[in-house]
């Protein structure tokens, strides 16, 4: 799969209902892709991608970085949020204001006002990298939504139910897409199939996924906004 500079032209954002409380904002980040890339590169200059192990000692196929007050980490000590990089003992780099505001705006567009992310996990997928079915459950407030941004190569995203055994749907996520989920499906299982080889005009042979969370803060929302498909 080859991508050219004309494969990802800015398009009007399409809001697609995925599930109860889950929305795909198709092309949300395309119009500001240069700012997205610059902000992520700022984070990576301070905290490069690092390899991690599961608590069972297996290496993850994705490499990770973090920014914000908290970073999500995994090693033999378990899955958790930490205020510092366990490799260095240093705090994670601050979340760039642009990234935080974009996450707030995307959450609002999906019907979740007053979103205040304090953590952003940045995953790097190279060809073959994958993410097994899981749910985001290390946050203190499960009412706060998740905002997930895709940059670079397309991927096949797996969207399941509230039980691991429930059927899984496959969604194609493209460069600039943002998926937001909360409410009734906040604890839905999800994952990513192995990334297919390719070449993206801006990021080359990789995909970046930014996942914004409220790790250790409480969502003081006035209530989700009821949305209907446009």
């Amino acid at each position: 799969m080859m991508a050219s500079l004309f494969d990802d032209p800015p398009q009007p954002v399409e809001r697609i209902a995925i599930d109860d409380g889950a929305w795909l904002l198709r092309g949300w980040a395309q119009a500001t892709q240069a700012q997205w890339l610059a902000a992520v590169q700022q984070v990576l200059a301070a905290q490069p991608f690092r390899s991690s192990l599961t608590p069972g000692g297996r290496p993850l196929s994705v490499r990770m970085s973090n920014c914000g007050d908290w970073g999500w980490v995994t090693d033999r000590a378990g899955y958790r949020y930490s205020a510092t990089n366990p490799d260095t003992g240093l705090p994670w780099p601050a979340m760039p204001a642009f990234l935080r505001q974009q996450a707030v705006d995307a959450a609002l567009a999906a019907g979740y006002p007053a979103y205040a992310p304090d953590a952003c996990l940045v995953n790097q997928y190279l060809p073959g990298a994958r993410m097994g079915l899981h749910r985001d459950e290390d946050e203190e407030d499960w009412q706060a939504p998740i905002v997930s941004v895709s940059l670079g190569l397309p991927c096949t995203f797996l969207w399941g139910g509230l039980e691991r055994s429930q059927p899984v749907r496959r969604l194609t996520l493209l460069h600039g897409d943002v998926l937001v989920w909360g409410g009734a499906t906040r604890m839905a299982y999800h994952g990513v199939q192995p990334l297919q080889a390719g070449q993206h005009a801006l990021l080359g042979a990789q995909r970046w996924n930014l996942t914004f969370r409220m790790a250790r803060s409480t969502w003081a929302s006035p209530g989700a906004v009821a949305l209907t498909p446009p």
Side-chain angles (χ1 to χ4, degrees):
M1 183 189 312
M2 294 295 291
S4 75
L5 286 172
F6 303 100
D7 285 343
D8 294 308
Q11 300 287 338
V13 174
E14 180 183 10
R15 195 176 68 235
I16 304 170
I18 299 301
D19 210 334
D20 186 1
W23 294 85
L24 172 59
L25 307 178
R26 182 71 83 185
W28 173 274
Q30 282 191 16
T32 53
Q33 62 184 5
Q35 292 166 271
W36 278 95
L37 298 185
V40 176
Q41 288 165 346
Q42 175 186 334
V43 171
L44 296 178
Q47 176 52 65
F49 288 119
R50 53 191 293 273
S51 299
S52 300
L53 298 175
T54 68
R58 293 175 299 167
L60 290 183
S61 60
V62 301
R63 298 198 303 157
M64 300 184 296
S65 180
N66 287 282
C67 65
D69 296 335
W70 300 92
W72 188 85
V73 298
T74 173
D75 53 28
R76 292 185 181 275
Y79 302 123
R80 64 195 186 280
Y81 281 99
S82 172
T84 59
N85 180 340
D87 294 339
T88 64
L90 298 175
W92 305 105
M95 188 185 305
F98 172 80
L99 295 184
R100 185 184 187 282
Q101 188 60 53
Q102 286 290 304
V104 170
D105 292 346
L108 181 60
Y112 296 101
Y115 188 55
D118 56 7
C120 175
L121 172 62
V122 186
N123 284 330
Q124 180 196 43
Y125 288 78
L126 299 176
R130 59 182 293 275
M131 185 71 69
L133 277 181
H134 67 285
R135 59 183 191 173
D136 297 335
E137 58 186 10
D138 298 316
E139 298 75 31
E140 289 186 354
D141 186 352
W142 290 356
Q143 298 302 309
I146 301 293
V147 176
S148 177
V149 182
S150 294
L151 299 171
L153 288 176
C155 80
T156 300
F157 187 81
L158 305 175
W159 179 258
L162 298 179
E163 303 293 336
R164 188 184 292 273
S165 59
Q166 289 180 285
V168 172
R169 295 160 55 196
R170 289 165 173 77
L171 310 172
T172 299
L173 296 183
L174 306 173
H175 174 72
D177 286 351
V178 176
L179 190 60
V180 183
W181 68 93
T185 52
R186 168 60 177 79
M187 301 305 291
Y189 280 88
H190 55 282
V192 177
Q193 286 192 328
L195 188 71
Q196 298 298 303
Q199 193 71 21
H200 189 268
L202 298 177
L203 288 183
Q206 62 180 325
R207 170 182 182 255
W208 290 349
N209 173 230
L210 283 70
T211 308
F212 297 87
R213 294 101 176 264
M214 291 179 62
R216 294 294 180 262
S217 54
T218 302
W219 187 40
S221 172
V225 178
L227 298 179
T228 56

